Amino acid sequence: MREYNFDGLVGPTHNYAGLSPGNLASTAHRGKVANPRRAAKQGLRKMKFVADLGVGQAVLPPQPRPAIDALRRLGFGGADDAVLGRAAAADEGHLLRLCSSASAMWTANAATVAPSRDAADGRVHLTPANLSAMFHRALEAPQTTRTLRAIFADAARFVVHDPLPAGAHFADEGAANHTRLEGEAGAVHLLAWGRSTWGGGEAPRVHPARQTREASAALARLHQLGDGALLWQQHPAGIDAGAFHTDVLAVGNGPVLLVHEHAFVRPGALQAILRARVGSDLRWVQASARELPVADAVAAYPFNSQLVTLPGGSMAVVAPAESEANAAAKRYLDRVVAADNPVTAVHYLDLNESMDNGGGPACLRLRVPLTDDERAAVTGRVFLDDALFAELDDWIDTHYRDRLTAADLADPALLDETRAALDALTQLLQLGSIYPFQQA
Ligand code: SUG
């Protein structure tokens, strides 16, 4: 079994609309002029960097935006340009901004995944996240389901479930709240949640908790994890400090967990349970709030790193450049490398366009562990090699603007450009017609 990181290509409508309360970067950068071309290239360069480390790398396509179909369902009628104009005039353009986000780039929120080795039926399980907590993200679920079903089509090896039923009760944010750890004693799926609709646990007071305990429990059932699942609460103080997903304050791989003391409630108890279930090779590397104030962890995102296993068996951290610039975050990552664990290097990458919307290296990828047989059964040309990298780089040059503001979202030319881009992309990735506008 090998891990493949499915990164989301940043879509041509990448912009800063301040859509996510509780995500401090999103709120702070509202109205900033975006550069979609640079954003897409930063993401693509990260994919190449990870692939060049010898780590499995693949790509997921963006979603059609502005979401004309959603705007029509909200009562904006007429031809496409009329829909855009009417939506731009309503609620000071807020509905158009909600329906135009390129947020599908953060594929850690696309789905939750269980490898075939851990599921009772021996298949890879994927459940697209309903993303019910935020309207602009909930729009992603139907297309994510179509896209994953096109790529993981072989029903003997893969099952792509329906997203959990919509609504607050089963609000699900995908793998951003999921960590699979594995050591000498076994594998554990740590499924973290922020609130429970049935009751239990102290809820955050300032910012919304996006994932429910009930959703996490449903994922454990769907993925047939049995005793392999462990449900645990995110620390409400962490959420209130801006850690809207678990992956803002923790990242795990194999027997290693990098974790801030405000990531989970009762960290000592969690560590003891994991040591028993993962094994004595568990490496729990905790940052205290004194060593790394949670505000620095949220601003610099050292935990929103990728923690990857290299071909030789050691591990590397792929961190955002913001973590190198923040003294406390860098000291912590240096300590991780120096401590007794498999981590031997930290690499810092410039992902500023995504970071300013609250998305670091970890947000941009969905981890899919596959056996060689399963990899061979994947549909489409999605695994990154040098040829695909070069073609995607050209594709970005051809189709992306280097400047985008909220006012541009009503431009009918932008809609035409994004459709042309996605149409060309599905051919390049050999995925067939996965978008409704291609079937109309
Ligand atoms: O859902 N930002 C995303 C960031 C997602 C980060 N993902 C993980 N932590 N796994 C969100 O809050 C901001 C869009 C805007 O404001 O324009 C946004 O959707």
Side-chain angles (χ1 to χ4, degrees):
M1 189 170 93
R2 183 174 182 221
E3 176 175 289
Y4 293 87
N5 289 277
F6 280 72
D7 276 47
L9 267 171
V10 176
T13 62
H14 159 64
N15 75 103
Y16 298 102
L19 300 180
S20 292
N23 169 346
L24 306 187
S26 157
T27 308
H29 295 99
R30 173 184 194 144
K32 183 188 157 182
V33 176
N35 184 333
R37 186 185 303 164
R38 183 166 61 211
K41 293 220 170 194
Q42 287 176 344
L44 185 61
R45 258 185 258 122
K46 176 174 87 69
M47 295 185 219
K48 172 101 167 76
F49 185 87
V50 169
D52 287 347
L53 288 176
V55 177
Q57 182 66 58
V59 53
L60 288 174
Q63 302 208 352
R65 296 288 182 274
I68 289 287
D69 50 344
L71 291 169
R72 287 188 195 286
R73 285 173 66 190
L74 295 174
F76 301 107
D80 288 345
D81 52 351
V83 171
L84 292 172
R86 287 180 182 130
D91 293 359
E92 297 174 349
H94 187 54
L95 297 177
L96 180 58
R97 287 192 294 278
L98 284 168
C99 292
S100 300
S101 178
S103 54
M105 72 172 85
W106 299 297
T107 53
N109 306 116
T112 307
V113 182
S116 52
R117 189 201 276 181
D118 299 346
D121 69 354
R123 292 191 294 171
V124 180
H125 286 252
L126 303 99
T127 301
N130 60 26
L131 294 165
S132 287
M134 304 269 153
F135 174 74
H136 71 291
R137 303 229 52 188
L139 288 176
E140 297 168 36
Q143 182 60 52
T144 301
T145 307
R146 281 192 290 274
T147 302
L148 293 177
R149 283 187 176 151
I151 294 173
F152 300 101
D154 181 349
R157 292 185 174 81
F158 309 117
V159 45
V160 179
H161 298 279
D162 287 335
L164 298 181
H169 205 102
F170 289 101
D172 173 24
E173 295 280 315
N177 292 315
H178 168 243
T179 312
R180 180 182 183 274
L181 296 167
E182 186 168 30
E184 58 200 17
V188 171
H189 289 255
L190 176 58
L191 293 152
W193 50 273
R195 67 185 165 89
S196 170
T197 45
W198 183 246
E202 185 195 335
R205 286 178 208 158
V206 185
H207 295 313
R210 297 198 198 183
Q211 177 100 19
T212 66
R213 187 183 196 286
E214 290 73 12
S216 301
L219 294 170
R221 283 191 295 273
L222 283 167
H223 293 188
Q224 306 183 10
L225 298 176
D227 294 341
L230 175 62
L231 271 55
W232 204 269
Q233 191 182 352
Q234 294 169 266
H235 204 308
I239 295 175
D240 278 343
F244 52 100
H245 291 134
T246 306
D247 65 10
V248 175
L249 291 179
V251 60
N253 183 45
V256 182
L257 186 68
L258 314 185
V259 56
H260 191 275
E261 77 168 284
H262 287 150
F264 302 106
V265 298
R266 300 189 309 283
L270 177 59
Q271 183 182 359
I273 292 170
L274 289 175
R275 191 164 301 284
R277 290 171 59 171
V278 172
S280 59
D281 54 341
L282 176 76
R283 292 291 176 271
W284 171 286
V285 194
Q286 181 171 318
S288 67
R290 176 125 55 97
E291 171 188 12
L292 176 56
V294 67
D296 287 79
V298 168
Y301 264 35
F303 296 98
N304 200 261
S305 294
Q306 290 180 249
L307 181 57
V308 292
T309 302
L310 303 175
S314 66
M315 294 187 194
V317 173
V318 178
E322 284 78 355
S323 293
E324 190 175 27
N326 179 294
K330 172 146 194 319
R331 257 197 318 272
Y332 169 71
L333 291 175
D334 286 345
R335 179 163 81 75
V336 170
V337 174
D340 169 31
N341 63 57
V343 183
T344 56
V346 184
H347 305 283
Y348 296 98
L349 301 188
D350 181 7
L351 293 160
N352 179 260
E353 287 281 335
S354 170
M355 282 288 287
D356 281 353
N357 258 334
C363 303
L364 288 161
R365 60 90 175 95
L366 178 67
R367 305 163 86 169
V368 185
L370 298 172
T371 64
D372 290 346
D373 278 357
E374 288 157 0
R375 185 199 193 280
V378 165
T379 308
R381 181 185 172 216
V382 292
F383 294 102
L384 194 79
D385 54 20
D386 288 347
L388 183 57
F389 170 80
E391 285 174 52
L392 289 172
D393 198 51
D394 284 349
W395 171 80
I396 294 167
D397 282 328
T398 307
H399 295 284
Y400 279 58
R401 298 187 182 189
D402 61 6
R403 186 190 148 84
L404 201 71
T405 67
D408 298 320
L409 299 173
D411 178 3
L414 180 68
L415 179 65
D416 291 343
E417 287 162 31
T418 61
R419 285 179 175 166
L422 297 195
D423 212 21
L425 182 67
T426 49
Q427 290 172 45
L428 212 151
L429 299 179
Q430 299 170 12
L431 286 175
S433 298
I434 55 171
Y435 300 123
F437 76 83
Q438 294 175 309
Q439 286 146 15

